[in-house]
Amino acid sequence: MPPPPPEPARDIPLHRYTAALASEIESRWQERWQRDDAYRAPNPGEHGFDPAQPKLFVLDMFPYPSGAGLHVGHPLGYIATDIYARYHRMCGKNVLHAMGFDAFGLPAEQYAIDTGTHPRATTEKNIGIFKKQLRRLGLGHEERRGVATTDVAFYKWTQWIFLQIYNSWYDAALNKARPIEGLIADLDSGTRPTGPQTKPWPKMDANERASHIDSHRLAYLADVDVNWCPALGTVLANEEVTTDGRSERGNHPVLKRPLRQWMMRITSYNERLLSDLEGLDWPEPIKMMQRNWIGRSEGAFVDFASGTRKVRVFTTRPDTLFGATYMVLSPEHALVDALAADKWGPTAPEAWKGRFPGAEALIAKEVSPKEMIAAYRAFASSKTDQERQADAKDKTGVFIGAYAVNPVNDERIPIFIADYVLTGYGTGAIMAVPAHDKRDFDFAKQFGLPIRDVYYPNAVLAMRFFCASATEGERRGEAWFPTLADFLGVVTSGDLKPNEFEGALSGIRAKPRNPEDDMKAKRAEKRHAHEDVPGALGQRRGTIRVSWQETLEGMGFDSFGELCEWFESKAFHAHSGEAFTGEGVAVNSGLLDNLHTHDAKQRISEHLEHKGLGKRAVQYKLRDWLFSRQRYWGEPFPIVYEEGDAKHERPIALPERLLPVTLPEIDEYKPVASDDPNAPPQPPLGRAKEWITVELDLGDGAKRYRRELNTMPQWAGSCWYYLRYLDPRNAESFVAPKVEQYWMLSEKGPADLGACGPDKASGSSVSEIDKPSGPQAPKPTFHSGGVDLYVGGAEHAVLHLLYARFWHKVLFDLGHVSTPEPFGRLFNQGYIQAPAYSDDRGVYVEATAVVEESPGRFSFEGKPVRREFGKMGKSLKNVTTPDDVCDEYGADTMRLYEMYMGPLEQSKPWNPRDIVGVHRFLQRVWRTVIDEDTGALRVSEEAPDAETLRLLSKTIESVRSDFERLSFNTAIAKLIELNNHISKSYGERPTPRPLATAIALMLAPIAPHFAEELWSRLHAGNAASIIRQPFPEADASALVESSIELPVQVQGKVRSRIVVAAEADEATIRAAALGDEKVRAFLEGKTVQKVIVVPGRMVNIVAG
RNA sequence: GCCGGAGUGGCGGAACUGGCAGACGCGCUGGACUCAAAAUCCUGUGCCCGCAAGGGCGUGAGGGUUCGACUCCCUCCUCCGGCACCA
């Protein structure tokens, strides 16, 4: 960024609102606000707390304090929440708005590895830079609540929450988490049996009991496949692995490896995480992403017998069971070895024996099924996830020499293993229905397996009926369509849409008989594409785009009769080209025949359950959460192990009194890397020799224990930081219940939540405190309480927001918080994009040094460069920092510009050229109030004229509603309009005081320093801060107009305008419209058929 | 492939529930001030025809519903985001 241009001071009026003046005003007020603790929001019990005052909790997604500092993209959301918070403060609310730091994490640790600087030093330095930058923007955060996740006093409570989770289990009967003591009590008293597969509780020894308990905990150790990077010596999150299966840092190979890791049983909550989304005021796309991530699907388990064993499959389409022609297990399925035959039977086709690279050679060597299985497993596990995805169409697998019996028709079907069946989902086994599943279809084609239709599209069935009963005349004549449509009506219970039929017909489209026909069909399609469709369907069900004749031609038939002949000749195959996965009518399915998909599902489920062959089931994609990392810069686990036998070790939770477990100092931060990929991980904490063992008395005498050496992932702190804002200094608990209830519970529904005004702001939130908690609490209508407004980027749509919801629900179940959801209203701000320029080698060049030669042509150091738009960042060399903008225009202009760029939720390009617009606006407002030459006030005590007052009231109304909706760009536009009107109306004359004060007040949330300065000057320096002045109210009486102008349309086009009395009745308006000269000219020679009068809106005259 | 979101002047965008398309800003045009420039102020600015009055066309494309469609419905195209063999 070039230095700001020197102010050409000599010709500019002395008291103009310039960057220099802005800077002076801004630092002066920032100091003053800090001195006065201007944003203090008292907690219950604190000085100044008023129980009658409504509360508002506004939250930003707190940042990771990176070394690069802020760029202009970061504060977008912060400015928005600041405006919202300031506005509501002016509406008399007790507003909590704070900013903390998500300060654990990899960059500081990586920097430590490279330089030896302690991550805490780096982190604290960066936090200092961030705080300074944020303060410079005038963000009204309450300082005392701004916590960092790395503060020992903070992560003590992160560890405490971990213990709460660890010491809990999920009681499926009550559908909530309970303390683990409850489980032990149930087992002791015998009210809860251990389960059919397990030893009874009284017969277990101490070890067995402990592991039985451990297997119920919400935090548990398990052997799981993780992304393990031997070179870095750590497991990596999926986001830290590149698309080609290497580490993002260092580009080292990453492999899947089973390791004993901490897990969180988030899957216990899948149903609640899913259904509680309904009550949240969140953007629909985010809800959708969470739904997809949780991935609920309804279906059934079905048991297939194979020899003496049963293989259970999961399917969402039990209604296609009659079409199952083979079965597939995942390569790792537990039953594969037991089921596999010693040799392939004589009837096993060669093609089944193995299809994967290297299989042919093995077949030639006549290896046994078991050898082939081993080879296939080796092949499958060597594939990265990316390769699997790339090969999705090319299916591989091996026939294991065994058969299973389809329980509904006793058919013998072959069993395969294939890696397109995943171990971790469902039962890791499927019944394959190639006719109605794309993947099964691909597999069947490649292995030469039978494909049996058990569903036909509705149209096909209609065709069957038709072919069976239509007369020769109907086939050949014009009347074919109505008859077919009637059949369709029967088949589809009458609600088939025309387009569905069109689609259905194209679904059975025959392969063109020869290329020439295909061309003919295409030409026909083009020729007729825009013609309206005559005929029965057009009249009966609306109009469709392509005529039936064309549909026929498109399928390669000249007439309907020809289609019938073809259909009857059995050349037709529903799956000629692909699997039919849509809904339709069952065929070839015995008891399901002629049922529609929905009914068939119902019927088969009842049948299976009745016969004991299967049962309805629900599956989820959501997996338990891998919760440990081999890193230094994270929260240590409050967990120790007994010294000694490492194989059977069980974790021991530290009691609360031993918290916090502080991070030890170590001399080197690097994890211990290893060339042996099978070596156990050596987390950096292992270097703290003094720390890794500890002598403790946990109730059975002093003993030495080994500490857990893993640390928690970065998500841990962000799962609950918002709760610590409420009560940041509390040493007794993570948040005092009274305080938590005050800030998190909302008595009001969603409609009232954002509302602000004297009539709506009454009523107390504290009366709510006695509300019962627990899952039995009254069902939320829409708003489930929690944070009133949470603003952040959509990149956290699933991970952070899902993890935080999970922790919150656990805390809720255990009675530590009073709302089932943490964030009642969520808003996603867009990204700020910026042009980035690359030269002919594709290397990015410094964007600030690029010049625009001519529109659309850019050059850097004389050479042409290419422009694109991307997320602002170091790598694209297109960063602008807020400090640059503050230097050049001031923080208020910066705030105003970011809000004026466009809708908050939209991504938009950073365009510095536009900043002058809002800067000029502030200059004009300044001139409305202050004389640029003398610096004196230029306001008068005279009353504003009626028209200006009306505009003022209108502006107040819309600005208020715009603020509520976070529509700041339009709010600013209204304010510009108002100011333009004032300067036009009053010109050189001084501005009436009410207008000046109103505009200052309305600007206060957006441009706080600027508004405070005007406010102060308007009151000769004797005013209390504008921060808590009441926001202007619209004057209803000023809004009344005596006459209004209405547009008059003829045939829907505006032709004239009429002025009528505001309260004019319809007849008067009608007469005025018809009498209008211009209207009469347009009605010349026509008769008026209809006059539509929309009172207060417009008039439309229909004439013909 | 599946699921979302979005396409409006030269540019960013407005029109909130089907009722005056283009608010507001940038840019550009012309003018005032100035020796001149900058800054500031005023004027105009969707496209086409027209000296003008006026007219025609216009919200990604095509159709539909309606007295009336940026807004609702259908088909298609383009861009962005998410998921990706989840049975």
Side-chain angles (χ1 to χ4, degrees):
Chain A
M1 256 288 143
E7 291 290 344
R10 57 195 167 94
D11 283 353
I12 283 186
L14 204 55
H15 296 274
R16 172 162 294 177
Y17 182 75
T18 59
L21 180 56
S23 163
E24 186 274 316
I25 291 172
E26 285 162 12
S27 46
R28 181 153 42 82
W29 285 113
Q30 278 166 17
E31 250 164 64
R32 176 73 172 276
W33 292 332
Q34 184 165 35
R35 202 186 70 203
D36 296 350
D37 203 3
Y39 310 110
R40 185 168 177 279
N43 278 351
E46 286 182 342
H47 170 72
F49 179 75
D50 173 8
Q53 192 183 17
K55 66 91 188 181
L56 185 80
F57 184 5
V58 179
L59 184 68
D60 300 276
M61 288 185 187
F62 66 162
Y64 174 79
S66 78
L70 294 175
H71 62 64
V72 292
H74 289 111
L76 186 68
Y78 306 157
I79 295 170
T81 49
D82 190 48
I83 294 171
Y84 192 75
R86 284 176 183 276
Y87 168 63
H88 281 281
R89 241 179 239 122
M90 294 177 76
C91 293
K93 291 202 175 153
N94 191 19
V95 177
L96 193 156
H97 193 207
M99 179 63 75
F101 295 95
D102 188 16
F104 277 127
L106 207 52
E109 182 161 350
Q110 194 60 36
Y111 188 70
I113 291 170
D114 296 343
T115 66
T117 316
H118 197 293
R120 182 169 296 285
T122 314
T123 304
E124 274 167 10
K125 185 178 134 235
N126 291 346
I127 287 177
I129 295 168
F130 265 63
K131 278 189 173 168
K132 207 176 141 199
Q133 282 185 303
L134 293 171
R135 201 179 93 121
R136 189 170 181 195
L137 289 169
L139 299 172
H141 299 140
E142 199 178 350
E143 193 100 8
R144 62 166 176 157
R145 298 184 188 266
V147 295
T149 53
T150 47
D151 298 340
V152 177
F154 180 90
Y155 75 66
K156 170 186 173 176
W157 295 108
T158 311
Q159 293 170 337
W160 180 85
I161 294 171
F162 174 84
L163 289 179
Q164 297 301 308
I165 298 170
Y166 176 79
N167 286 318
S168 307
W169 64 295
Y170 201 82
D171 187 337
L174 295 180
N175 204 18
K176 62 180 273 197
R178 291 173 54 197
I180 202 82
E181 291 80 24
L183 175 65
I184 298 170
D186 286 1
L187 289 163
D188 282 343
S189 67
T191 52
R192 184 175 300 273
T194 49
Q197 245 52 227
T198 327
K199 222 189 243 186
W201 182 251
K203 293 197 174 158
M204 286 183 175
D205 64 24
N207 268 334
E208 287 168 332
R209 286 187 170 192
S211 50
H212 185 76
I213 297 294
D214 286 354
S215 73
H216 282 78
R217 294 180 188 274
L218 291 183
Y220 63 98
L221 277 168
D223 291 297
V224 288
D225 271 334
V226 296
N227 299 307
W228 167 248
C229 179
L232 291 178
T234 181
V235 296
L236 296 173
N238 288 333
E239 309 83 74
E240 292 158 347
V241 182
T242 61
T243 36
D244 47 340
R246 302 181 81 88
S247 65
E248 201 176 48
R249 271 169 200 280
N251 202 31
H252 303 295
V254 173
L255 26 120
K256 288 275 181 203
R257 173 184 175 187
L259 277 178
R260 202 161 170 77
Q261 296 288 313
W262 282 98
M263 305 293 290
M264 291 237 169
R265 212 176 293 279
I266 190 172
T267 51
S268 294
Y269 282 84
N270 46 26
E271 195 57 59
R272 280 167 64 188
L273 287 168
L274 185 68
S275 57
D276 287 355
L277 281 172
E278 302 308 318
L280 296 177
D281 183 6
W282 284 21
E284 198 48 46
I286 301 292
K287 288 191 184 181
M288 194 58 77
M289 282 161 73
Q290 292 219 347
R291 279 187 207 113
N292 291 341
W293 191 264
I294 295 166
R296 182 183 203 272
S297 45
E298 274 178 35
F301 290 130
V302 184
D303 292 328
F304 284 63
S306 177
T308 58
R309 293 171 192 279
K310 272 191 174 165
V311 184
R312 173 163 283 200
V313 304
F314 175 72
T315 176
T316 54
R317 292 292 303 273
D319 54 313
T320 61
L321 192 45
F322 287 88
T325 53
Y326 63 102
M327 179 181 226
V328 188
L329 309 189
S330 72
E332 304 85 5
H333 194 281
L335 283 176
V336 173
D337 292 324
L339 293 173
D342 293 325
K343 52 183 200 282
W344 278 297
T347 54
E350 290 288 292
W352 291 6
K353 290 182 180 170
R355 219 190 95 86
F356 59 94
E360 272 177 41
L362 292 171
I363 295 171
K365 279 201 283 180
E366 299 195 355
V367 301
S368 71
K370 290 200 166 162
E371 287 168 291
M372 196 60 109
I373 289 167
Y376 183 70
R377 280 178 174 158
F379 156 75
S381 67
S382 73
K383 265 195 192 177
T384 65
D385 287 355
Q386 281 67 35
E387 284 166 344
R388 283 168 56 108
Q389 275 168 39
D391 301 342
K393 254 205 113 88
D394 186 26
K395 295 282 186 289
T396 59
V398 172
F399 172 51
I400 65 168
Y403 293 82
V405 177
N406 185 332
V408 289
N409 56 12
D410 292 336
E411 226 170 71
R412 191 163 165 265
I413 57 174
I415 304 175
F416 288 77
I417 57 168
D419 67 355
Y420 83 91
V421 173
L422 308 174
T423 315
Y425 185 78
T427 62
I430 61 155
M431 63 176 206
V433 185
H436 305 293
D437 181 278
K438 207 175 145 346
R439 299 146 301 180
D440 296 343
F441 183 85
D442 291 341
F443 189 90
K445 280 276 171 190
Q446 273 155 357
F447 281 78
L449 287 155
I451 299 168
R452 183 189 308 144
D453 292 320
V454 290
Y455 265 105
Y456 278 167
N458 294 326
V460 174
L461 211 73
M463 285 291 294
R464 292 179 117 201
F465 286 153
F466 184 83
C467 290
S469 69
T471 62
E472 192 60 22
E474 280 171 330
R475 288 183 181 215
R476 298 290 158 200
E478 295 293 313
W480 62 270
F481 175 70
T483 312
L484 182 58
D486 283 343
F487 278 117
L488 278 167
V490 174
V491 169
T492 64
S493 329
D495 59 353
L496 183 88
K497 292 184 189 82
N499 290 302
E500 194 187 331
F501 181 74
E502 193 191 342
L505 273 190
S506 67
I508 59 164
R509 177 171 303 199
K511 288 225 161 95
R513 282 157 298 183
N514 62 56
E516 211 178 293
D517 285 353
D518 192 28
M519 292 304 293
K520 192 170 110 188
K522 274 195 176 149
R523 258 181 280 123
E525 233 169 275
K526 258 199 175 151
R527 198 168 56 237
H528 295 284
H530 306 313
E531 280 176 22
D532 282 349
V533 184
L537 193 73
Q539 283 161 18
R540 284 175 42 164
R541 300 171 194 265
T543 310
I544 65 162
R545 194 166 52 88
V546 183
S547 76
W548 297 110
Q549 189 58 36
E550 286 163 43
T551 306
L552 285 174
E553 285 178 19
M555 292 167 69
F557 301 101
D558 291 328
S559 72
F560 188 67
E562 207 179 300
L563 170 62
C564 291
E565 277 162 31
W566 167 79
F567 192 85
E568 286 174 319
S569 74
K570 303 213 189 243
F572 160 74
H573 245 266
H575 52 69
S576 56
E578 53 188 6
F580 169 61
T581 56
E583 301 205 341
V585 181
V587 294
N588 303 327
S589 295
L591 75 159
L592 303 181
D593 277 355
N594 298 328
L595 290 178
H596 289 273
T597 305
H598 177 78
D599 302 329
K601 277 186 178 170
Q602 205 62 31
R603 181 72 163 274
I604 191 74
S605 300
E606 284 160 16
H607 175 78
L608 291 172
E609 278 170 9
H610 180 70
K611 296 263 174 183
L613 301 169
K615 59 177 181 193
R616 276 172 254 233
V618 177
Q619 291 289 306
Y620 299 86
K621 285 198 241 177
L622 186 67
R623 290 292 112 86
D624 274 344
W625 173 19
L626 174 66
F627 194 71
S628 44
R629 302 286 185 272
Q630 289 74 54
R631 290 192 188 136
Y632 173 74
W633 195 228
E635 300 88 346
F637 281 78
I639 291 286
V640 294
Y641 302 89
E642 269 186 59
E643 281 219 299
D645 186 5
K647 261 198 173 159
H648 299 101
E649 70 184 5
R650 269 198 318 277
I652 299 165
L654 292 176
E656 196 181 323
R657 70 185 153 83
L658 292 179
L659 299 184
V661 177
T662 50
L663 266 176
E665 297 304 313
I666 56 176
D667 43 23
E668 207 194 328
Y669 300 95
K670 219 176 178 157
V672 183
S674 174
D675 295 332
D676 175 7
N678 295 316
Q682 306 277 325
L685 285 183
R687 295 181 191 277
K689 295 286 177 247
E690 307 283 296
W691 181 85
I692 54 175
T693 65
V694 60
E695 190 170 281
L696 298 170
D697 183 349
L698 298 178
D700 51 355
K703 276 198 274 185
R704 278 211 90 71
Y705 295 90
R706 285 188 305 104
R707 288 194 191 271
E708 169 66 57
L709 299 183
N710 286 304
T711 52
M712 300 187 198
Q714 199 180 349
W715 309 108
S718 59
C719 274
W720 76 282
Y721 71 106
Y722 55 96
L723 291 169
R724 194 60 180 173
Y725 284 176
L726 307 180
D727 201 1
R729 304 270 163 77
N730 194 324
E732 265 74 58
S733 67
F734 76 114
V735 55
K738 199 176 60 166
V739 174
E740 187 273 332
Q741 284 157 4
Y742 172 72
W743 288 112
M744 294 295 280
L745 277 175
S746 308
E747 185 175 12
K748 297 167 179 55
D752 287 328
L753 245 192
C756 155
D759 46 339
K760 291 177 182 169
S762 60
S764 151
S765 302
V766 279
S767 61
E768 190 68 4
I769 286 174
D770 297 321
K771 201 172 178 175
S773 63
Q776 296 80 14
K779 212 180 159 211
T781 48
F782 182 60
H783 221 287
S784 49
V787 175
D788 296 303
L789 175 67
Y790 193 20
V791 174
E795 70 271 19
H796 295 299
V798 266
L799 297 176
H800 159 61
L801 288 172
L802 199 65
Y803 295 152
R805 291 180 65 213
F806 163 52
W807 276 37
H808 198 90
K809 282 183 185 305
V810 178
L811 292 172
F812 174 70
D813 286 354
L814 298 177
H816 296 305
V817 297
S818 43
T819 65
E821 285 284 335
F823 316 119
R825 180 182 178 194
L826 175 73
F827 194 96
N828 285 126
Q829 95 264 16
Y831 298 113
I832 289 189
Q833 297 171 316
Y837 304 88
S838 51
D839 61 20
D840 50 5
R841 295 165 302 162
V843 176
Y844 287 101
V845 301
E846 187 54 49
T848 46
V850 169
V851 285
E852 184 163 10
E853 303 281 344
S854 60
R857 281 186 54 238
F858 303 90
S859 74
F860 171 75
E861 291 174 352
K863 281 176 238 144
V865 288
R866 209 168 55 84
R867 182 174 71 162
E868 63 187 288
F869 281 87
K871 221 174 136 178
M872 194 173 273
K874 240 189 199 169
S875 56
L876 298 185
K877 292 194 185 165
N878 60 353
V879 169
T880 306
T881 72
D883 300 290
D884 296 336
V885 185
C886 288
D887 288 343
E888 205 169 340
Y889 298 99
D892 284 327
T893 299
M894 159 87 193
R895 294 168 59 108
L896 214 47
Y897 172 62
E898 290 220 347
M899 292 302 105
Y900 193 61
M901 287 171 74
L904 187 60
E905 67 275 18
Q906 222 166 77
S907 288
K908 51 236 152 183
W910 180 257
N911 193 350
R913 203 175 63 177
D914 290 345
I915 302 176
V916 293
V918 284
H919 187 65
R920 290 207 275 249
F921 163 58
L922 288 181
Q923 286 183 332
R924 290 201 299 270
V925 175
W926 186 260
R927 256 199 308 275
T928 303
V929 185
I930 307 289
D931 186 302
E932 278 192 334
D933 296 313
T934 65
L937 272 186
R938 48 181 301 275
V939 296
S940 73
E941 303 305 326
E942 88 184 76
D945 62 277
E947 195 197 340
T948 307
L949 279 178
R950 187 177 317 122
L951 179 66
L952 175 65
S953 276
K954 271 167 109 170
T955 306
I956 292 170
E957 267 193 341
S958 22
V959 167
R960 276 176 168 269
S961 85
D962 286 348
F963 279 170
E964 298 288 358
R965 297 186 293 134
L966 307 179
S967 178
F968 302 119
N969 55 330
T970 51
I972 294 166
K974 305 274 165 47
L975 290 171
I976 294 174
E977 233 172 320
L978 176 64
N979 189 61
N980 286 351
H981 175 86
I982 292 172
S983 56
K984 218 171 252 161
S985 306
Y986 290 90
E988 292 301 304
R989 288 183 295 143
T991 309
R993 182 175 286 273
L995 300 177
T997 54
I999 212 161
L1001 286 165
M1002 283 192 278
L1003 266 173
I1006 318 173
H1009 320 86
F1010 179 89
E1012 184 83 277
E1013 180 70 15
L1014 288 185
W1015 182 253
S1016 161
R1017 294 196 188 199
L1018 282 165
H1019 294 86
N1022 295 321
S1025 167
I1026 200 167
I1027 289 174
R1028 291 179 201 275
Q1029 296 303 321
F1031 201 84
E1033 306 267 349
D1035 177 358
S1037 64
L1039 285 169
V1040 178
E1041 288 176 84
S1042 57
S1043 64
I1044 49 171
E1045 194 190 63
L1046 290 181
V1048 182
Q1049 298 179 338
V1050 179
Q1051 318 289 57
K1053 285 187 179 167
V1054 180
R1055 295 302 184 183
S1056 182
R1057 277 149 217 290
I1058 52 171
V1059 176
V1060 294
E1063 66 279 4
D1065 62 7
E1066 230 179 280
T1068 318
I1069 296 171
R1070 187 189 156 103
L1074 288 172
D1076 182 84
E1077 210 174 300
K1078 282 189 196 157
V1079 173
R1080 290 232 302 264
F1082 275 97
L1083 294 176
E1084 190 79 29
K1086 291 174 187 155
T1087 43
V1088 174
Q1089 288 165 343
K1090 205 170 172 188
V1091 179
I1092 295 119
V1093 177
V1094 186
R1097 285 281 193 182
M1098 44 68 68
V1099 182
N1100 190 12
I1101 298 165
V1102 188

